[in-house]
Amino acid sequence: MADFLWQRGKQDLRVRRDDGVEDPLVWEHCGRVARMAEKIASGPEMARYTISRQALYVACLYHDIGWVLQANAGTLPAKELFLKPTTDHQRTIAADWITNNLDGVMAPGVLSLAAQAVRHSSDRSTKILEAQILAEADNLDLIGPPTVCLMVRKQMAEGKALENLLSVWERQEEYRYWEARIKECFRLPSVRALAERRLKDLRRFMEDLRSCVQMNNFGHRRRPRPLRGPGKSVFHYGPKK
């Protein structure tokens, strides 16, 4: 059943652009969230709880289909996907879609719980475990190198260059945006620790990007001195002999 839903989700979550090309952004995000949620649910911190793995999988796989439905209906330009936080209205659209379109694929109780998990995933006080795990995985995917894709898309949509992306990143670092987000978003210590490691990876990536964009990686290297002699075409960097 998981394989069937995965293949169906791959089709349901594609955004059709005006040029006929399918945008995989939402699908790739939801797929990662579903896989991370499964790992979180299997962790030692959740061992004493009863979790509906089927409802969790459905909720994670389709939690952002509201974006897809709006884009494919023409009420949201495809270039604006994920440029703003998901709204409660979009979560409601997703929850209703799960209930109405997966009937017969999963048991009604599973679909009802999945829909509730999506609706309440942004509620910090929710007691629905599936909603909590969905929120953990969703927030985790937005921290680390994968978020660079969204940052680049945002700059391109606004007609800005990579230099602007670096400026945005520097302001985020100045105000400790990512540290505050990690502190606020995660309930589970293990997921928070993973988010901190992903932030370190993101910082390394951004440092490399800055070095390339600002051309700081140009070093002064000695020109090779050819070895002279009959038939010799080898270059030599060492001292003269």
Side-chain angles (χ1 to χ4, degrees), residues 17-227:
R17 296 190 330 207
D18 293 338
D19 58 6
V21 177
E22 292 184 339
D23 191 328
L25 180 67
V26 179
W27 156 245
E28 290 180 350
H29 165 68
C30 290
R32 289 193 301 268
V33 169
R35 286 172 169 168
M36 287 191 291
E38 178 63 26
K39 293 182 180 297
I40 293 171
S42 300
E45 291 159 314
M46 306 305 296
R48 61 192 179 95
Y49 298 105
T50 300
I51 301 166
S52 172
R53 298 300 183 92
Q54 289 184 327
L56 177 63
Y57 189 74
V58 172
C60 291
L61 201 59
Y62 284 101
H63 73 283
D64 272 333
I65 197 172
W67 288 92
V68 177
L69 297 174
Q70 289 180 329
N72 288 341
T75 58
L76 174 78
K79 67 179 182 180
E80 294 184 8
L81 289 171
F82 288 163
L83 295 191
K84 296 179 180 179
T86 302
T87 65
D88 287 340
H89 177 59
Q90 288 170 321
R91 278 184 278 270
T92 298
I93 293 174
D96 290 343
W97 188 95
I98 289 172
T99 302
N100 296 328
N101 290 271
L102 295 180
D103 185 31
V105 177
M106 305 292 286
V110 170
L111 296 181
S112 177
L113 180 54
Q116 288 298 312
V118 172
R119 283 194 176 94
H120 294 279
S121 58
S122 64
D123 181 4
R124 289 285 299 172
S125 63
T126 184
K127 302 300 182 183
I128 302 173
L129 291 175
E130 292 78 8
Q132 294 179 10
I133 297 173
L134 166 56
E136 295 282 295
D138 193 24
N139 286 317
L140 185 60
D141 192 56
L142 297 179
I143 296 177
T147 199
V148 175
C149 176
L150 296 180
M151 296 171 71
V152 171
R153 286 176 68 111
K154 181 175 176 61
Q155 297 303 310
M156 293 178 64
E158 296 176 354
K160 297 178 180 178
L162 284 176
E163 287 284 359
N164 297 96
L165 186 151
L166 293 174
S167 297
V168 171
W169 169 255
E170 288 167 359
R171 288 196 297 273
Q172 289 177 342
E173 287 287 82
E174 179 182 357
Y175 292 103
R176 305 183 70 84
Y177 166 80
W178 291 106
E179 288 90 340
R181 180 163 185 156
I182 289 173
K183 183 178 180 180
E184 177 184 351
C185 288
F186 298 102
R187 298 175 174 88
L188 300 176
S190 63
V191 182
R192 186 180 300 112
L194 178 54
E196 290 169 349
R197 293 197 297 272
R198 288 167 68 98
L199 177 57
K200 291 180 181 178
D201 293 338
L202 177 58
R203 282 177 171 145
R204 283 194 294 268
F205 183 95
M206 295 303 293
E207 284 301 316
D208 289 342
L209 180 62
R210 178 188 289 110
S211 181
C212 291
V213 171
Q214 298 178 350
M215 301 184 188
N216 296 331
N217 53 351
F218 275 79
H220 296 288
R221 186 179 182 185
R222 286 183 297 169
R223 293 174 60 84
R225 177 172 55 81
L227 292 174

Side-chain angles (χ1 to χ4, degrees), residues 227-233:
L227 292 174
R228 299 185 181 277
K232 295 290 184 66
S233 60

